[in-house]
Amino acid sequence: MIRKAVITAAGKGSRMRYITSVLPKALLPLFKQEDGKKVMRPIIDLIMSSLSAVGVNNFCIVVGKHGKLLMDYLFERGVTFVFQEEPKGFGDAVLRAENFACGEPFFVHADDGVLTGGYSEASELYEENKPEAVLLLRKVNNPFRYGIVKAEEKGEFRNHKLYKIIDVQEKPKQPFSDLAISAVYIFKPSIFKALKEVENYDGELELTYGIKKILDQGGEIYAILLEKEKWLNVGDPEHYYEALKYSFEQI
């Protein structure tokens, strides 16, 4: 089983200002049922709980300049903290955790959302096939806002459509498809080498660039399509409202 996870929490959360000027995005709460009552739990708790349920017991949190409140909240949980001093992209944040991974496969999870399912299927897909990476896909109406894949359907896996990834794009003007990459991944440590070899990117090192490098070098990447599962997003006001409503009514 995959024992390690890297959670990136160094972003400024600018789309959720002004609340993120005083409260890290990872501490924004959603609803959850506990002992028959509705409570509000920071999304970092829901992320860690979802990953713990599939065997993860070693967490690394990538924090930025304003990460002290999050560090204080998680201090007694035995997590590892690494720093991304400047916001240089999702891929750069993952690179900060290379020493933590220490040659083992690991989950990567963004702090601005949590899936309602798909974690166990991703873990099982990795264990059975040992690809360089496993992605979780969702169909979207606005693919120009996401990392998008070109993929070949390969049947089914655990009642989900199974794909082999052929190519990827980051926020494309002319998307390959409407299949977007959810911000939950499984990687072999080869992702670090791939990210270091990315050249000629503009400003921020995106994780998608490292995924593309793996593909260009002949690495195999598989994905499953999430259709019933939802991504509860706290990254902007409109999606946060929807996530609050869904979590209150359904979780």
Side-chain angles (χ1 to χ4, degrees):
M1 297 177 69
I2 300 168
R3 301 295 185 186
K4 293 185 175 181
V6 175
I7 302 172
T8 58
K12 294 179 179 178
S14 55
R15 289 180 298 169
M16 284 295 287
R17 65 175 189 180
Y18 298 87
I19 186 61
T20 48
S21 65
V22 293
L23 188 70
K25 188 167 49 179
L27 294 180
L28 292 173
L30 290 174
F31 290 100
K32 188 176 186 297
Q33 283 277 105
E34 287 186 5
D35 300 323
K37 299 179 181 179
K38 292 189 185 297
V39 298
M40 299 195 80
R41 295 290 298 269
I43 194 166
I44 191 69
D45 289 349
L46 305 182
I47 292 169
M48 293 176 70
S49 177
S50 296
L51 293 169
S52 295
V54 296
V56 174
N57 57 17
N58 199 349
F59 291 91
C60 175
I61 315 295
V62 185
V63 296
K65 291 180 178 178
H66 306 292
K68 186 178 183 303
L69 197 59
L70 180 60
M71 292 174 70
D72 289 344
Y73 182 71
L74 297 174
F75 181 74
E76 295 182 352
R77 301 196 199 181
V79 305
T80 298
F81 295 101
V82 297
F83 294 89
Q84 186 188 31
E85 291 80 7
E86 299 294 334
K88 295 181 179 179
F90 196 4
D92 181 77
V94 172
L95 266 179
R96 305 303 105 196
E98 182 174 10
N99 289 340
F100 166 81
C102 196
E104 297 180 35
F106 59 100
F107 275 93
V108 167
H109 203 304
D111 72 334
D112 62 353
V114 65
L115 287 167
T116 60
Y119 297 95
S120 60
E121 291 87 347
S123 184
E124 291 170 13
L125 179 59
Y126 176 82
E127 290 298 329
E128 289 190 18
N129 296 275
K130 297 296 195 295
E132 296 302 309
V134 170
L135 310 181
L136 294 168
L137 307 177
R138 297 175 296 122
K139 288 190 176 183
V140 296
N141 295 323
N142 48 352
F144 56 88
R145 291 183 54 187
Y146 299 91
I148 297 297
V149 303
K150 178 188 291 185
E152 179 182 349
E153 194 167 340
K154 291 290 186 179
E156 286 198 352
F157 183 85
R158 304 291 188 268
N159 298 315
H160 291 75
K161 288 182 180 179
L162 174 65
Y163 293 90
K164 182 177 180 180
I165 303 302
I166 306 301
D167 204 352
V168 294
Q169 304 166 300
E170 178 64 24
K171 297 182 178 66
K173 293 181 179 178
Q174 296 181 315
F176 292 141
S177 69
D178 61 353
L179 297 176
I181 306 170
S182 300
V184 181
Y185 317 73
I186 294 172
F187 289 109
K188 284 184 176 177
S190 54
I191 186 62
F192 299 118
K193 179 176 181 291
L195 286 166
K196 291 175 184 176
E197 292 176 353
V198 173
E199 297 176 347
N200 301 321
Y201 58 90
D202 185 20
E204 295 188 349
L205 177 60
E206 297 293 350
L207 191 53
T208 312
Y209 305 159
I211 294 170
K212 181 169 178 57
K213 180 66 70 172
I214 288 173
L215 292 169
D216 290 345
Q217 295 174 349
E220 287 193 331
I221 296 177
Y222 287 93
I224 56 174
L225 178 64
L226 303 179
E227 296 182 278
K228 296 179 181 178
E229 299 84 354
K230 292 186 176 293
W231 174 249
L232 303 182
N233 188 349
V234 304
D236 62 77
E238 291 78 13
H239 285 109
Y240 187 36
Y241 170 76
E242 293 171 7
L244 282 168
K245 187 172 184 291
Y246 182 90
S247 66
F248 184 82
E249 294 175 350
Q250 303 293 332
I251 296 179

